[in-house]
Amino acid sequence: MGRSVVTIERDVDRCESGVHECLRDIYEHPPPALRGAFHVFPWAQVEPKDGTFDWRAVDANLTALADAGVQAVPSIWIHKGASVSGFVPTPKWLCKASPCVAYSHTRGKGPVLHAPNYLDPAFQQKFEELIG
């Protein structure tokens, strides 16, 4: 039987301890077949203001997973067209630093959404500062 990998796509700062409930189950009682977990966290969570970083919740989750013997693959959630549970992964300040691109999933019939312009040098600079 192969070992499994789970994906964690949650707002990791939604509880007092900074550790999300879905992660708590994984590191307190990891299934025997669990080999690793993708830990997806929103950019807006770790850099709510341009140049102001707060990695505490992500660090707490990654440490808890490591302590449980679960290999974590951290991944930054840069953009999703709409909010997820009221949380928008793209920082609000980003479209001021790098003009976002308007688009629609339904060719003009649905809501107009805005995505980062990944080719813009200003976006690339801000992303490099995030991961640097």
Side-chain angles (χ1 to χ4, degrees):
M1 176 183 264
R3 296 186 58 154
S4 62
V5 175
V6 298
T7 300
I8 302 162
E9 293 181 352
R10 301 280 186 210
D11 306 336
V12 295
D13 62 346
R14 295 288 187 205
C15 65
E16 291 179 27
S17 67
V19 178
H20 196 279
E21 291 80 17
C22 69
L23 291 175
R24 187 171 291 118
D25 286 342
I26 292 171
Y27 63 75
E28 286 182 355
H29 309 287
L34 182 65
R35 187 181 82 213
F38 289 103
H39 182 357
V40 182
F41 58 90
W43 185 345
Q45 175 193 345
V46 296
E47 192 178 6
K49 295 180 182 174
D50 189 6
T52 302
F53 298 93
D54 183 359
W55 292 94
R56 290 176 294 176
V58 174
D59 289 343
N61 286 320
L62 293 177
T63 299
L65 289 168
D67 290 347
V70 177
Q71 296 177 0
V73 178
S75 179
I76 302 166
W77 191 3
I78 298 172
H79 173 70
K80 179 165 177 59
S83 71
V84 176
S85 301
F87 193 83
V88 179
T90 308
K92 290 181 182 180
W93 58 263
L94 183 60
C95 287
K96 293 176 184 168
S98 169
C100 286
V101 177
Y103 72 96
S104 173
H105 288 291
T106 55
R107 298 182 188 204
K109 295 180 182 178
V112 175
L113 305 170
H114 295 86
N117 180 354
Y118 302 109
L119 300 178
D120 179 28
F123 168 85
Q124 293 174 3
Q125 176 64 38
K126 292 298 178 186
F127 188 71
E128 187 175 315
E129 291 169 8
L130 173 69
I131 63 173

